[in-house]
Amino acid sequence: RATVVISSGNHDSARRLGFSSRLIDAAGVHLRTLPSDVGRAVVLPDADGDVVVHALPYLDPDAVREPWGLPARSHEAALTAAMARVRADLATRPGVRSVVLAHAFVAGGRPSESERDIAVGGVSRVPTHVFDGIDYVALGHLHGPHVLDDRMRYSGSPLAYSFSESAQTKGSWLVDL
């Protein structure tokens, strides 16, 4: 039996994708689509100890700014607040390996023409240090594969969505924790 962890992106209808997610969790498919899901981990038992997965949906800064008391209207502020919730959960689980799935434009990635612009003037770029202390960060949003460092990567989309992506090698990462 496979366990699947999915978070919604900026092209998804978070409410539609997340409909009945609490029931679907029981089948081993864990959907994290709403800001209220941030900090709700999926724990994967393993022979080497637990792996704790936190899936962060696309977090629109306008939608979370007031309820989360963000200091600024930016993706960096939204993801910094989300990572504070993740770290609070991880602090209650000493010795686990941690994985974060995040749908964001993290500094160092290069977009193609088919990715919807999610900000003006660089507001969308999130510095890599926001994810410090996490064992592996699986990023979504950019359609091409990018390695930002040993523990942070974009796998890219499985299909080409524009002519600028036609020469991209599509694939996925197999990560050993």
Side-chain angles (χ1 to χ4, degrees), residues 51-138:
V51 176
V52 176
V53 180
H54 281 275
L56 308 180
Y58 171 72
L59 296 169
D60 181 345
D62 288 330
V64 296
R65 185 172 185 188
E66 185 178 324
W68 286 9
L70 299 182
R73 181 191 170 268
S74 71
H75 288 274
E76 179 178 357
L79 282 168
T80 297
M83 288 303 298
R85 292 170 183 224
V86 168
R87 288 186 181 95
D89 176 72
L90 291 173
T92 68
R93 307 170 191 269
V96 299
R97 289 164 291 158
S98 57
V99 174
V100 168
L101 315 178
H103 193 93
F105 186 11
V106 176
R110 294 176 310 278
S112 70
E113 65 188 33
S114 65
E115 286 124 24
R116 191 173 103 201
D117 186 13
I118 57 176
V120 176
V123 174
S124 68
R125 290 191 191 256
V126 176
T128 58
H129 71 77
V130 169
F131 301 99
D132 283 354
I134 303 301
D135 294 313
Y136 186 73
V137 181

Side-chain angles (χ1 to χ4, degrees), residues 143 145 154-159 168-173:
H143 295 186
Y154 285 95
S155 61
S157 64
L159 302 171
Q168 281 180 346
T169 301
K170 298 297 186 175
S172 57
W173 297 105

Side-chain angles (χ1 to χ4, degrees), residues 5-68:
V5 182
I6 299 170
S7 64
S8 55
N10 59 307
H11 294 287
D12 300 317
S13 168
R15 291 207 184 278
R16 188 173 291 145
L17 181 63
F19 176 76
S20 71
S21 63
R22 303 270 185 195
L23 290 172
I24 296 169
D25 273 2
V29 178
H30 304 276
L31 302 166
R32 301 297 186 259
T33 62
L34 302 173
S36 59
D37 291 328
V38 174
R40 189 163 62 100
V42 176
V43 179
L44 305 175
D46 182 273
D48 296 318
D50 290 346
V51 176
V52 176
V53 180
H54 281 275
L56 308 180
Y58 171 72
L59 296 169
D60 181 345
D62 288 330
V64 296
R65 185 172 185 188
E66 185 178 324
W68 286 9

